[in-house]
Amino acid sequence: MLAERVEVDPKTVERWISSGRTPYKAHRWRVAQVLGVDLAHLWPEAENGGPAQRASAAELVALYPNRGFVPAPMWTDIVTGAKETVNLLVYAGLFWLDAHPDLSNALVERAEAGVRVRLLFGDPESPVVASRGVEEGIDMPSRIRMTLSLAAPLLSCDGVEIRLHATTLYASIYGADDVMLVNTHVYGAPAAHSPVLHFQRAPEGRLFAHYAESFERVWNQARALG
Protein backbone atom coordinates (compact mmCIF):
# COMPACT_ATOMS: atom_id res chain seq x y z
CA MET A 1 0.00 0.00 0.00
CA LEU A 2 1.04 3.57 -0.69
CA ALA A 3 0.51 4.52 2.96
CA GLU A 4 2.96 1.84 4.09
CA ARG A 5 5.58 2.90 1.54
CA VAL A 6 5.29 6.55 2.53
CA GLU A 7 5.03 5.62 6.23
CA VAL A 8 1.80 7.49 6.97
CA ASP A 9 -1.64 6.48 8.20
CA PRO A 10 -3.98 5.18 5.45
CA LYS A 11 -6.53 7.81 6.45
CA THR A 12 -3.95 10.48 5.65
CA VAL A 13 -3.69 9.19 2.10
CA GLU A 14 -7.48 9.14 1.88
CA ARG A 15 -7.59 12.82 2.85
CA TRP A 16 -5.00 13.65 0.18
CA ILE A 17 -7.25 12.03 -2.42
CA SER A 18 -10.77 12.88 -1.23
CA SER A 19 -10.25 16.44 -0.02
CA GLY A 20 -7.41 17.48 -2.27
CA ARG A 21 -5.20 18.22 0.70
CA THR A 22 -1.55 18.80 -0.19
CA PRO A 23 0.91 16.57 1.74
CA TYR A 24 3.96 17.89 3.50
CA LYS A 25 7.02 18.37 1.29
CA ALA A 26 8.78 15.23 2.57
CA HIS A 27 5.68 13.14 1.90
CA ARG A 28 5.27 14.61 -1.60
CA TRP A 29 8.82 13.60 -2.46
CA ARG A 30 8.26 10.08 -1.13
CA VAL A 31 4.96 9.60 -3.00
CA ALA A 32 6.51 10.79 -6.25
CA GLN A 33 9.43 8.43 -5.74
CA VAL A 34 7.17 5.45 -5.02
CA LEU A 35 4.93 6.16 -8.02
CA GLY A 36 7.82 7.03 -10.33
CA VAL A 37 6.34 10.35 -11.48
CA ASP A 38 7.35 14.00 -11.31
CA LEU A 39 6.29 16.07 -8.32
CA ALA A 40 4.81 18.76 -10.54
CA HIS A 41 2.56 16.19 -12.19
CA LEU A 42 0.98 15.25 -8.85
CA TRP A 43 0.86 18.68 -7.20
CA PRO A 44 1.41 21.38 -9.85
CA GLU A 45 0.16 24.18 -7.60
CA ALA A 46 2.68 23.35 -4.87
CA GLU A 47 5.65 22.56 -7.09
CA ASN A 48 5.28 25.20 -9.80
CA GLY A 49 4.52 28.03 -7.42
CA GLY A 50 6.68 30.99 -6.52
CA PRO A 51 9.10 29.44 -3.98
CA ALA A 52 10.17 26.56 -6.23
CA GLN A 53 10.51 28.83 -9.23
CA ARG A 54 12.54 31.42 -7.34
CA ALA A 55 14.79 28.75 -5.84
CA SER A 56 15.46 27.23 -9.25
CA ALA A 57 16.21 30.63 -10.75
CA ALA A 58 18.66 31.25 -7.92
CA GLU A 59 20.57 28.11 -8.88
CA LEU A 60 21.64 29.60 -12.21
CA VAL A 61 24.79 31.55 -11.40
CA ALA A 62 25.83 32.36 -14.97
CA LEU A 63 25.11 31.57 -18.61
CA TYR A 64 28.03 31.46 -21.03
CA PRO A 65 27.48 31.53 -24.84
CA ASN A 66 30.07 28.76 -25.29
CA ARG A 67 32.94 27.05 -23.47
CA GLY A 68 35.39 29.78 -24.47
CA PHE A 69 33.54 32.30 -22.31
CA VAL A 70 33.88 30.20 -19.14
CA PRO A 71 36.68 31.63 -16.96
CA ALA A 72 39.60 29.21 -17.45
CA PRO A 73 40.32 28.67 -13.72
CA MET A 74 36.75 27.50 -13.13
CA TRP A 75 37.34 24.15 -14.87
CA THR A 76 39.95 23.23 -12.27
CA ASP A 77 38.56 25.19 -9.30
CA ILE A 78 35.48 22.97 -9.16
CA VAL A 79 37.83 20.02 -8.60
CA THR A 80 40.30 21.56 -6.18
CA GLY A 81 37.47 22.85 -4.02
CA ALA A 82 35.61 19.52 -3.85
CA LYS A 83 35.10 17.98 -0.41
CA GLU A 84 32.74 15.08 -1.16
CA THR A 85 32.26 14.31 -4.87
CA VAL A 86 33.58 15.06 -8.34
CA ASN A 87 31.33 13.95 -11.20
CA LEU A 88 32.19 14.15 -14.90
CA LEU A 89 29.87 13.12 -17.74
CA VAL A 90 31.17 13.65 -21.28
CA TYR A 91 31.81 11.83 -24.51
CA ALA A 92 35.47 12.84 -24.83
CA GLY A 93 36.08 15.95 -22.74
CA LEU A 94 39.57 16.02 -24.19
CA PHE A 95 40.10 19.71 -23.48
CA TRP A 96 39.46 19.14 -19.77
CA LEU A 97 42.55 17.00 -19.20
CA ASP A 98 44.64 18.15 -22.16
CA ALA A 99 44.36 21.89 -21.58
CA HIS A 100 44.72 21.65 -17.81
CA PRO A 101 47.86 19.60 -17.07
CA ASP A 102 47.49 19.98 -13.30
CA LEU A 103 44.00 18.53 -13.30
CA SER A 104 45.05 14.88 -13.09
CA ASN A 105 47.13 15.60 -9.99
CA ALA A 106 44.24 17.55 -8.50
CA LEU A 107 41.90 14.58 -9.04
CA VAL A 108 44.37 12.27 -7.33
CA GLU A 109 44.79 14.65 -4.40
CA ARG A 110 41.04 14.95 -3.94
CA ALA A 111 40.60 11.18 -4.11
CA GLU A 112 43.35 10.66 -1.53
CA ALA A 113 41.54 13.18 0.69
CA GLY A 114 38.43 11.00 0.62
CA VAL A 115 36.54 12.66 -2.25
CA ARG A 116 34.67 10.23 -4.49
CA VAL A 117 35.77 10.91 -8.07
CA ARG A 118 33.55 9.48 -10.82
CA LEU A 119 34.47 10.01 -14.47
CA LEU A 120 32.13 8.98 -17.28
CA PHE A 121 33.46 8.91 -20.83
CA GLY A 122 31.79 7.74 -24.03
CA ASP A 123 32.45 4.16 -25.13
CA PRO A 124 34.64 4.52 -28.26
CA GLU A 125 33.18 1.26 -29.60
CA SER A 126 29.58 2.47 -29.34
CA PRO A 127 27.66 3.29 -32.55
CA VAL A 128 25.90 6.07 -30.60
CA VAL A 129 29.25 7.72 -29.98
CA ALA A 130 30.31 7.29 -33.61
CA SER A 131 27.03 8.86 -34.74
CA ARG A 132 27.60 11.90 -32.53
CA GLY A 133 31.02 12.30 -34.10
CA VAL A 134 29.48 12.34 -37.57
CA GLU A 135 26.93 14.95 -36.45
CA GLU A 136 29.69 17.20 -35.08
CA GLY A 137 32.09 16.54 -37.97
CA ILE A 138 34.83 15.06 -35.77
CA ASP A 139 36.31 11.62 -35.09
CA MET A 140 34.72 11.18 -31.69
CA PRO A 141 36.03 7.64 -30.98
CA SER A 142 39.61 8.81 -31.60
CA ARG A 143 39.16 11.80 -29.31
CA ILE A 144 37.81 9.54 -26.57
CA ARG A 145 40.79 7.21 -26.89
CA MET A 146 43.13 10.19 -26.55
CA THR A 147 41.30 11.24 -23.39
CA LEU A 148 41.43 7.72 -21.96
CA SER A 149 45.19 7.64 -22.52
CA LEU A 150 45.48 10.82 -20.44
CA ALA A 151 43.18 9.41 -17.78
CA ALA A 152 44.85 5.98 -17.64
CA PRO A 153 47.17 6.83 -14.69
CA LEU A 154 44.07 7.65 -12.60
CA LEU A 155 42.92 4.03 -12.74
CA SER A 156 45.49 3.01 -10.13
CA CYS A 157 44.28 5.65 -7.67
CA ASP A 158 41.89 4.51 -4.94
CA GLY A 159 38.81 6.67 -4.95
CA VAL A 160 38.83 7.35 -8.70
CA GLU A 161 36.23 5.40 -10.71
CA ILE A 162 36.09 5.52 -14.51
CA ARG A 163 33.24 4.13 -16.56
CA LEU A 164 32.28 4.09 -20.24
CA HIS A 165 28.75 4.86 -21.39
CA ALA A 166 26.85 4.49 -24.64
CA THR A 167 23.98 6.88 -24.00
CA THR A 168 22.72 9.67 -26.23
CA LEU A 169 24.22 12.67 -24.47
CA TYR A 170 22.24 15.91 -24.37
CA ALA A 171 24.59 17.76 -22.03
CA SER A 172 28.07 17.30 -20.61
CA ILE A 173 28.30 17.67 -16.84
CA TYR A 174 31.32 18.90 -14.88
CA GLY A 175 30.29 18.86 -11.23
CA ALA A 176 31.66 18.83 -7.71
CA ASP A 177 29.66 18.96 -4.49
CA ASP A 178 27.11 21.76 -4.99
CA VAL A 179 28.66 23.32 -8.11
CA MET A 180 28.05 22.24 -11.68
CA LEU A 181 28.94 23.35 -15.21
CA VAL A 182 26.51 21.97 -17.79
CA ASN A 183 27.69 22.18 -21.39
CA THR A 184 24.57 21.81 -23.54
CA HIS A 185 24.65 19.93 -26.85
CA VAL A 186 23.12 21.26 -30.07
CA TYR A 187 22.63 19.12 -33.17
CA GLY A 188 25.28 19.75 -35.79
CA ALA A 189 27.56 21.81 -33.54
CA PRO A 190 30.56 20.76 -31.42
CA ALA A 191 29.97 20.93 -27.68
CA ALA A 192 32.67 23.61 -27.44
CA HIS A 193 30.44 25.94 -29.47
CA SER A 194 27.34 25.42 -27.33
CA PRO A 195 26.14 27.28 -24.21
CA VAL A 196 27.38 26.43 -20.72
CA LEU A 197 25.16 26.79 -17.63
CA HIS A 198 26.80 27.39 -14.25
CA PHE A 199 24.63 26.02 -11.43
CA GLN A 200 24.94 26.27 -7.65
CA ARG A 201 22.64 23.99 -5.64
CA ALA A 202 20.00 25.88 -3.67
CA PRO A 203 17.38 24.62 -1.16
CA GLU A 204 14.12 23.75 -2.94
CA GLY A 205 15.77 24.33 -6.35
CA ARG A 206 15.10 21.77 -9.06
CA LEU A 207 17.63 22.47 -11.82
CA PHE A 208 20.77 21.18 -10.07
CA ALA A 209 18.96 18.04 -8.95
CA HIS A 210 17.58 17.50 -12.46
CA TYR A 211 21.06 17.23 -13.97
CA ALA A 212 22.50 15.38 -10.98
CA GLU A 213 19.84 12.69 -11.38
CA SER A 214 20.71 12.41 -15.08
CA PHE A 215 24.32 11.75 -14.14
CA GLU A 216 23.27 8.98 -11.76
CA ARG A 217 21.14 7.29 -14.43
CA VAL A 218 24.03 7.19 -16.88
CA TRP A 219 26.48 6.07 -14.18
CA ASN A 220 24.28 3.16 -13.16
CA GLN A 221 24.14 1.73 -16.67
CA ALA A 222 27.77 2.37 -17.66
CA ARG A 223 30.53 -0.24 -17.59
CA ALA A 224 33.78 0.01 -15.67
CA LEU A 225 36.91 0.83 -17.63
CA GLY A 226 39.59 -1.81 -17.37
Side-chain angles (χ1 to χ4, degrees):
M1 293 178 59
L2 180 61
E4 294 178 353
R5 299 284 297 278
V6 183
E7 298 181 353
V8 297
D9 190 278
K11 292 183 179 179
T12 300
V13 176
E14 290 178 8
R15 286 193 292 270
W16 295 343
I17 298 172
S18 61
S19 65
R21 186 173 299 178
T22 301
Y24 291 121
K25 181 70 174 182
H27 291 155
R28 295 202 301 271
W29 274 104
R30 184 58 180 154
V31 170
Q33 184 181 40
V34 170
L35 298 180
V37 297
D38 190 83
L39 276 169
H41 177 72
L42 295 172
W43 296 283
E45 297 83 3
E47 294 303 318
N48 294 331
Q53 185 173 347
R54 288 193 295 271
S56 296
E59 290 185 302
L60 181 60
V61 178
L63 168 63
Y64 302 102
N66 57 55
R67 280 207 311 242
F69 282 85
V70 179
M74 190 174 296
W75 298 106
T76 53
D77 286 349
I78 61 176
V79 172
T80 56
K83 299 183 182 303
E84 296 181 2
T85 60
V86 172
N87 295 326
L88 172 73
L89 170 59
V90 295
Y91 271 143
L94 180 59
F95 85 97
W96 198 58
L97 291 173
D98 190 38
H100 306 95
D102 295 331
L103 194 53
S104 291
N105 289 336
L107 290 169
V108 171
E109 290 173 359
R110 291 294 80 209
E112 291 177 343
V115 174
R116 186 184 186 189
V117 178
R118 296 185 293 176
L119 309 179
L120 272 167
F121 299 104
D123 187 340
E125 305 299 328
S126 167
V128 174
V129 171
S131 177
R132 175 57 62 87
V134 172
E135 293 170 5
E136 296 189 8
I138 60 176
D139 187 347
M140 186 68 76
S142 292
R143 291 180 66 84
I144 292 174
R145 292 187 179 96
M146 293 173 65
T147 302
L148 294 179
S149 69
L150 294 173
L154 298 173
L155 285 170
S156 61
C157 177
D158 291 338
V160 176
E161 304 169 78
I162 302 178
R163 294 186 183 182
L164 301 180
H165 71 92
T167 58
T168 300
L169 202 57
Y170 300 101
S172 298
I173 297 175
Y174 305 79
D177 295 343
D178 295 329
V179 180
M180 183 185 294
L181 295 174
V182 176
N183 189 180
T184 63
H185 292 186
V186 177
Y187 180 82
H193 297 174
S194 297
V196 177
L197 307 172
H198 176 191
F199 291 120
Q200 178 81 38
R201 191 198 302 270
E204 301 297 322
R206 301 180 65 185
L207 296 177
F208 189 100
H210 181 67
Y211 285 100
E213 289 166 4
S214 175
F215 175 91
E216 296 297 336
R217 286 193 290 269
V218 178
W219 179 261
N220 289 336
Q221 62 182 283
R223 65 180 179 89
L225 177 63

